[in-house]
Amino acid sequence: MTPFEQSDPLLSVRALEKQFEGKGGMFGKKRAVRAVDDISFDVGRGETVGLVGESGCGKTTVGRLVLHLLEPSGGEVRFNGQNLQTLDAGVLRSMRQHMQIIFQDPLGALNPRMSVGELIMEPLVIHGVGDAVARQKRLSQLLGQVGLATYHAARFPHEFSGGQRQRICIARALALNPSFIVCDEAASALDVSIQAQILNLLQDLKHELGLTYLFISHDLGVIRHISDRVAVMYLGKIVEIGTKHEIFDTPQHPYTVALLRSAPSRNRGKTRYAAIKGDLPNPANPPSGCRFHTRCPIAQPICKQQEPPLAETAAGQRAACHFPGTLAP
Amino acid sequence: MSIAATFSSPAPASDFSGEPLLEVQNLRVSFGKLQVVDGISFTLRQGEVLGIVGESGSGKSVSALALLRLLPPNAQVTADRLMLGGEDLLSAKESRYESLRGSQIAMIFQEPMTALNPVLSVGHQIVETIRRHNKVGRREARDRAVAALRRVGIPAAEQRFNEYPHQMSGGMRQRVMIAMALACGPRVLIADEPTTALDVTIQAQILELLQDLQDEYQMGTIMITHDLGVVSSFADRVLVMYAGQVVEDAPAAELFARPGHPYTEGLLASIPSSLQDVERLYAIPGSVPPPFDLPSGCRFEPRCTYSRPPCRAARPWLMPFQPHHEAACIRNHGYHFPASEEVAP
Ligand SMILES: Nc1ncnc2c1ncn2[C@@H]1O[C@H](COP(=O)(O)OP(=O)(O)OP(=O)(O)O)[C@@H](O)[C@H]1O
Ligand SMILES: [Mg+2]
């Protein structure tokens, strides 16, 4: 079994691709942005896969593609063995009950004119699940599961703090008993003390309800804490994928090493930063060959010409680098 | 008089033994009835980096803006003492403040677009800043501005001189703001979340640049952030703010090794690390109280695992914990308040 193939995975992504129409250029020419370019990975049942990378690397697009909230330009997404692309609308709709998403900005995700109770029950109403009595029962159960009180149901989103609003979003996501949740920067906008509450809640729910997560974050500490396996993205590609310990203890791709070195850590004391040079390239115009070569401290001529495949390394994980493991963490 | 002045030995905690650059005693800020900064005090010396950490709304930015007199008119600011290199800022006229800002004390912000003028080229803006504070001709100002852009790591500085802020990446804009802030050689630099909006690798570049500039120019720097990792790698001394108050004041290494306030201890345990695994994060229960609903005793007491009835009786002020290390917590003193003159603000 290779690091990205799991036996009987819940989610299986192969050669996934998404292009967006670019903005009109100087002469009205449109340049397509390959936001996601040939991405493959599996998420096993009960597993948490972390997706980490900097802005514009395509993390959020991957999250939306796997839920089929966006139409892929190529490749396939299988959920529970079924290809989402070939399902008819009705089947896809009922399949959606099992797949949910939680966003970074809870306020943007909640209709301000609906009470918390209405918001949490809305998915049940839309999918015609249960009668009024059953829904009411489910509502109090959900409120309890996310650490809110029954009397909160009558209130409105603006009356809550950021952390509580995220709890409301989580309750809403759980309403239909999903097996898979995409968490897109779900704790990133919160203060650290509240972030810890939400991360603990997500972990507890995972164990209680047997959930599977695709966890998207730019925060390496959060990714290490929550994930079983980790995929590192750079400019639309997965550059390295492996178990959490492979990625954090023996990173093979120089970009992963650069990310780990860049993360400020309270464990190291007063230290000097030694950042990699250069800005993030424009995703509409990615560098030739290995996309990281313009910033890579160990780049060789071949890196500019040939794109390295995501291949198994001596350390076990897969890395897309001509010289994996050369840059020490 | 603050207990800091009463108790801490005359020698400063770090080896920054020079004259104080900036002295702040009992700074308070309120908006109408809401007191949002409640009596903060510190001394900043040349070459020293003072970190101020705290969660959203704890009063970090308001404190910094108050020092620069940049708050809106509905803010009431008071202090017992506010000195910049021996000059009394409390009695300084607005015109004097205008010339101090930029030349003696400069600030950089989280979002450079709030500080940069979108319709002027970045070079022009730096030239203006230089000419506002120095009697120099256009040519000379221009040369200095290009040199400043080069110094902050802007490639092809001569060409980028004519670019507008929106033509630059977030990291490059932040470099421009740093160049502008340092163009007139201020003695004090206040950086308010300068890297929070940036990607991890770009954040590391900006922090590296700030470290280089700090070494070279030996400013007194105040680094405001919610990120304890940034503080740990950057600061010599740290103030931890909670609900408008400083709850801990310690040398950086001390703070991380021996936190003296339960809030600091809780914060440290609640951050997942990229270097090691923890089974479960500690989560401080509850949330920060809003400024209109503050507990009358210790403001952290409702969330504190070590709380006891005396904690609710009165509000603790900073008290000695270790040498050069103070915490606003009576637990370190057997749940007794020290004699009253020692705890009065
Ligand atoms: N112009 C204003 N009028 C009224 N209240 C204000 C004003 N500016 C700030 N406040 C209040 O002052 C308190 C402290 O805010 P401040 O911006 O200093 O927090 P902070 O520690 O910088 O937070 P963050 O980490 O979010 O930047 C908050 O309760 C805020 O709502
Ligand atoms: Mg602020």
Side-chain angles (χ1 to χ4, degrees), chain B residues 25-251:
Chain B
Q25 234 173 64
N26 201 16
L27 176 73
R28 292 158 181 268
V29 182
S30 45
F31 294 97
K33 285 200 185 104
L34 290 187
Q35 177 120 49
V36 297
V37 173
D38 197 354
I40 82 166
S41 303
F42 63 85
T43 300
L44 180 71
R45 286 165 209 276
Q46 186 182 355
E48 185 178 28
V49 179
L50 177 75
I52 302 184
V53 287
E55 292 180 277
S56 191
S58 58
K60 306 182 296 293
S61 298
V62 166
S63 305
L65 294 171
L67 294 176
L68 283 157
R69 259 198 222 170
L70 285 174
L71 284 170
N74 67 331
Q76 298 101 48
V77 181
T78 64
D80 293 349
R81 192 175 158 83
L82 207 57
M83 303 285 282
L84 177 65
E87 179 174 353
D88 184 6
L89 293 179
L90 287 174
S91 60
K93 291 211 166 55
E94 190 45 42
S95 58
R96 176 67 187 143
Y97 243 95
E98 255 163 47
S99 81
L100 288 175
R101 278 194 296 260
S103 68
Q104 298 280 311
I105 175 164
M107 185 154 175
I108 54 181
F109 301 87
Q110 171 170 344
E111 182 36 75
M113 284 312 254
T114 58
L116 297 173
N117 187 333
V119 298
L120 297 175
S121 75
V122 297
H124 184 91
Q125 298 185 52
I126 300 175
V127 165
E128 289 293 292
T129 308
I130 292 171
R131 282 174 51 99
R132 198 176 311 135
H133 297 292
N134 301 278
K135 287 200 182 75
V136 293
R138 289 221 155 264
R139 259 228 80 79
E140 153 123 41
R142 193 195 148 89
D143 291 347
R144 280 202 210 172
V146 172
L149 287 174
R150 209 173 278 138
R151 180 64 193 88
V152 297
I154 300 214
E158 309 262 358
Q159 286 100 291
R160 306 301 292 264
F161 185 93
N162 296 312
E163 282 186 11
Y164 292 87
H166 70 267
Q167 293 175 293
M168 301 184 135
S169 67
M172 285 299 151
R173 279 203 290 263
Q174 199 56 274
R175 288 176 194 269
V176 168
M177 190 156 59
I178 293 169
M180 202 152 96
L182 298 184
C184 298
R187 293 195 282 170
V188 174
L189 175 69
I190 303 181
D192 189 358
E193 307 267 6
T195 59
T196 305
L198 301 173
D199 276 315
V200 193
T201 57
I202 308 300
Q203 161 167 297
Q205 291 174 355
I206 298 296
L207 290 170
E208 185 181 11
L209 171 65
L210 287 172
Q211 284 179 330
D212 285 350
L213 295 169
Q214 176 66 29
D215 286 354
E216 186 172 346
Y217 300 111
Q218 294 289 307
M219 299 95 50
T221 295
I222 300 178
M223 171 64 95
I224 297 175
T225 175
H226 67 281
D227 188 330
L228 285 159
V230 169
V231 159
S232 162
S233 56
F234 208 87
D236 301 300
R237 184 169 196 88
V238 185
L239 304 181
V240 181
M241 289 192 73
Y242 185 79
Q245 267 190 286
V246 174
V247 294
E248 186 154 8
D249 174 348

Side-chain angles (χ1 to χ4, degrees), chain A residues 54-55 197 245 272-273 279, chain B residues 169 199 201 212 233 277 284:
Chain A
E54 296 177 279
S55 59
Q197 294 174 2
H245 288 113
R272 293 204 62 88
Y273 286 86
D279 252 337
Chain B
S169 67
D199 276 315
T201 57
D212 285 350
S233 56
D277 295 317
I284 303 173

